Amino acid sequence: MTFKPGTDDMREAPSTIIASRLLAEGATVTCWDPMARPQPDTHPWNLTDRRPTISEALTGADAAILVTEWPDLATTDWAAHRHLMNNHTPVLYDGRNHLDPATLHTAGYTYISTGRPTPQPHTNTTPSHTPPA
């Protein structure tokens, strides 16, 4: 949410624009930030669901957008968190190139970042049944 890690400052934060546009498109926006000051009377934050942990913010999510490079995000067990999310292959957009693409790819995410190739998650290409001979 904040414009950079280590601060509670929301001025000029890209997350404000992103949350506004997602809400305008009908999305439900759930947020996590360890330091951001609550903004309960300020649009768009008055329409979002702020969660106290990364796990809670990702539970039931279709996708995640990283806009602040908090150290907690780099040490998160993304493989475990994938199972909390709705999609079999959830999308994670890393707007700060903070996470390792290979780690997220291996964890089963569709990882998208700015200025880097987008690896596709592993898929099972083995047929689920063997055709009769």
Side-chain angles (χ1 to χ4, degrees), residues 61-64 81-82 85-92 108-111 121:
D62 294 315
H81 283 81
R82 188 189 97 218
M85 299 176 77
N86 279 341
N87 292 334
H88 176 69
T89 308
V91 174
L92 192 150
Y109 287 82
T110 298
Y111 177 81

Side-chain angles (χ1 to χ4, degrees), residues 6-17:
T7 184
D8 63 357
D9 194 347
M10 296 291 294
R11 292 174 295 160
E12 305 296 321
S15 60
T16 302
I17 296 166

Side-chain angles (χ1 to χ4, degrees), residues 25-46:
E25 292 295 324
T28 299
V29 177
T30 303
C31 312
W32 170 83
D33 188 298
M35 289 185 69
R37 283 176 276 167
Q39 306 281 322
D41 299 323
T42 306
H43 183 77
W45 305 116
N46 60 333

